[in-house]
Amino acid sequence: MHVDSPYGISSAAPRPSALSIAREFVGYFAVSLAGLTVDAVVLLILVSGCGLPIVHSSVVAFMAGLAVVYLCSVKFVFANRRVAQPVVEFFTFAMLGVAGLLLTMLIMHVGTQQLHLDYRWTKIGAAGASFVCNFALRKLVLFSRG
């Protein structure tokens, strides 16, 4: 503990409690579900309603969902922010999500190609692992005390 006050008051920030991390985890889960819902609805509208190509629509839908998760995360979930510039913070948030995507790809490959598991069950496991990975990385890199 570093003390830099003549009164013995520490300037070091207290470590987050398990309860505060659990609250953030649950909140992040809720905003992730909201983002997934936006992603699915935008995809449906663009493909079925507007007749746009699936691949292009999926990119737009993914970005809409990502924006919802980011905006709700900084507004409702995480109390601490390490990056002062929102554009840099959003870009980092998105790039950290790539780690979750790579983990999903790895799990899907191993589960379906190596272990010959049903892709639906493998996807459930991959989604859970990706969610935990994204939460942990974003919490540590962007939303923890410096």
Side-chain angles (χ1 to χ4, degrees):
M1 175 182 290
H2 174 67
V3 176
D4 61 0
S5 165
Y7 305 107
I9 300 171
S10 172
S11 65
R15 296 179 61 105
S17 70
L19 181 59
S20 70
I21 293 172
R23 283 186 187 134
E24 288 178 336
F25 187 83
V26 169
Y28 185 74
F29 182 77
V31 301
S32 293
L33 285 177
L36 179 61
T37 301
V38 167
D39 183 329
V41 168
V42 170
L43 182 63
L44 181 67
I45 290 169
L46 293 176
V47 173
S48 297
C50 299
L52 297 176
I54 293 171
V55 173
H56 298 107
S57 298
S58 66
V59 171
V60 173
F62 174 82
M63 293 303 293
L66 178 67
V68 167
V69 174
Y70 170 73
L71 292 170
C72 290
S73 289
V74 298
K75 178 82 173 163
F76 302 114
V77 178
F78 297 107
N80 300 306
R81 294 170 77 178
R82 297 180 105 180
V83 178
Q85 301 88 4
V87 171
V88 173
E89 185 180 56
F90 177 76
F91 180 78
T92 305
F93 188 91
M95 290 301 99
L96 290 172
V98 171
L101 175 61
L102 293 174
L103 181 60
T104 295
M105 292 170 61
L106 175 65
I107 291 170
M108 291 300 292
H109 173 77
V110 170
T112 61
Q113 302 301 310
Q114 310 264 323
L115 301 175
H116 307 289
L117 299 172
D118 184 281
Y119 74 93
R120 292 166 288 203
W121 291 108
T122 305
K123 179 60 177 171
I124 291 169
S130 174
F131 169 78
V132 170
C133 175
N134 284 338
F135 173 79
L137 286 175
R138 289 169 173 163
K139 171 74 176 155
L140 291 170
V141 174
L142 293 172
F143 303 118
S144 60
R145 291 192 175 122

